[in-house]
């Protein structure tokens, strides 16, 4: 797993290279899309492809010290905005809803190129330094792994929306899985982690995702040797690897863990 998530110290390389490569992969995908595809609804409630790209660019702008260009006024009424983090993120999405797809793509390319140069200039010591995030303090390296997690999953959201499969293997997917395996994952939350895949995750109505995702394994991602989880009934179970968990493909696992849609 390229050392991703193996310890609290996350190596700057190859994580930085994987994140930059992920940004480029999204940019390449976006150049293939028509205006109609940019307007396609995604598995994320209330968001089109256009909105996902605005979100991705907006977070990198935030990390570059840019303040969201709109206030929260009126955004609390949106049905898909359910917590303070979601409200903050929606400010970026709302700000760029009137922009054209070429404008959003150019903004995305510019900010990710800037962020790539910033990351490449950082030292490992800076990568290990605690930093504040929307969900609390973590090392900057862990935060960048969350960024990679977010970007890879959102690429899959875009691909799902436009019907273009791809990029389910490789370093970005492996780092995303490392984040899922983190007890506080996915994306740094108090009760996250891959255990939700088996134990159930709101708003799923079934006892667990295994009941609604019949495929036999997580495919396309190399995995660590064993995973032990607490199940919804309070019991524990150990699998030799995540690929032995009855929870479906990597993208099916994504929607299950994040509670976006019922596969």
């Amino acid at each position: 797993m390229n050392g991703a998530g193996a310890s609290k110290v996350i190596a700057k390389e190859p994580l930085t290279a994987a994140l930059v490569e992920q940004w480029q992969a999204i940019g390449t995908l976006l150049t293939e899309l028509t205006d109609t595809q940019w307007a396609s609804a995604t598995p994320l409630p209330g968001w089109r492809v256009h909105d996902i790209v605005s979100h991705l660019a907006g977070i990198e702008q935030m990390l570059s010290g840019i303040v969201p260009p709109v206030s929260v006024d009126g955004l609390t009424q949106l049905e898909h905005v359910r917590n303070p983090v979601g409200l903050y993120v929606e400010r970026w999405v709302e700000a760029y809803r009137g922009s054209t797809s070429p404008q959003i793509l150019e903004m995305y390319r510019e900010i990710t190129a800037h962020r790539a140069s910033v990351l490449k200039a950082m030292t490992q010591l800076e990568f290990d330094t605690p930093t504040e995030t929307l969900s609390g303090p973590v090392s900057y390296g862990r935060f960048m792994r969350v960024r990679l997690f977010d970007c890879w999953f959102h690429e899959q959201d875009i691909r799902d929306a436009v019907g273009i499969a791809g990029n389910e293997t490789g370093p970005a997917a492996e780092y995303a899985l490392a984040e899922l395996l983190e007890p506080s994952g996915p994306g740094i939350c108090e009760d996250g982690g891959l255990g939700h895949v088996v134990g159930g995750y709101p708003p799923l109505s079934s006892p667990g995702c295994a009941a609604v995702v019949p495929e036999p394994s997580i495919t396309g991602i190399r995995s660590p040797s064993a995973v032990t989880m607490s199940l919804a009934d309070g019991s524990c179970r150990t699998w030799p690897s995540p690929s032995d968990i009855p929870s479906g493909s990597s993208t099916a696992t994504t929607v299950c863990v994040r509670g976006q849609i019922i596969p």
Side-chain angles (χ1 to χ4, degrees):
M1 293 181 61
N2 297 328
S7 66
K8 291 184 179 180
V9 175
I10 298 177
K12 177 178 176 289
E13 295 297 347
L15 174 57
T16 295
L19 180 52
V20 172
E21 182 179 339
Q22 178 59 43
W23 285 333
Q24 293 170 343
I26 293 173
T28 299
L29 172 63
L30 294 174
T31 62
E32 302 173 3
L33 304 185
T34 65
D35 285 342
T36 298
Q37 289 173 314
W38 273 80
S40 298
T42 73
L44 303 173
W47 280 12
R48 302 166 296 157
V49 169
H50 181 287
D51 301 322
I52 286 181
V53 185
S54 297
H55 159 63
L56 293 176
I59 295 300
E60 301 309 325
Q61 288 178 335
M62 178 198 74
L63 293 174
S64 300
I66 300 173
V67 177
V70 299
S71 71
V72 299
D73 294 342
L75 300 182
T76 56
Q77 307 303 316
L78 297 174
E79 185 176 350
H80 62 276
V81 175
R82 301 180 179 179
N83 54 55
V85 173
L87 182 60
Y88 182 88
V89 166
E90 197 70 22
R91 293 173 67 183
W92 296 103
V93 175
E94 183 66 23
Y96 299 123
R97 281 210 164 100
S99 301
T100 66
S101 53
Q103 289 171 333
I104 294 295
L105 180 55
E106 182 62 23
M107 178 178 65
Y108 170 83
R109 285 174 168 163
E110 287 181 357
I111 193 61
T112 54
H114 168 70
R115 288 284 299 142
S117 66
V118 170
L119 291 176
K120 289 176 181 178
M122 291 184 72
T123 66
Q124 182 63 52
L125 180 60
E126 290 172 319
F127 225 58
D128 298 339
T129 301
T131 187
E132 285 295 330
T133 75
L134 294 175
S135 301
V138 294
S139 73
Y140 199 86
R142 172 75 193 284
F143 191 20
M144 290 306 98
R145 194 180 73 183
V146 171
R147 294 303 311 129
L148 182 49
F149 162 93
D150 194 46
C151 291
W152 182 78
F153 278 166
H154 281 319
E155 180 192 355
Q156 298 304 322
D157 291 328
I158 294 170
R159 289 182 177 279
D160 182 74
V162 300
I164 303 175
N167 201 25
E168 289 197 69
T169 63
E174 292 167 22
Y175 276 114
L177 178 61
E179 183 61 29
L180 288 177
L181 292 173
E182 192 78 24
S184 61
I188 312 175
C189 63
E190 291 182 357
D191 57 352
L194 192 58
H196 280 307
V197 175
V198 177
Y201 191 101
L204 296 177
S205 58
S206 65
C209 288
V212 293
V213 185
E215 293 86 1
S217 66
I218 300 173
T219 60
I221 304 177
R222 287 178 293 158
S223 308
S225 58
V227 176
T228 300
M229 298 182 189
S230 297
L231 304 185
D233 62 3
S235 64
C236 291
R237 182 174 175 184
T238 299
W239 287 267
S241 78
S243 62
D244 295 305
I245 301 170
S247 52
S249 71
S250 55
T251 49
T253 301
T254 297
V255 296
C256 190
V257 170
R258 294 190 294 171
Q260 296 168 346
I261 59 174
I262 298 178

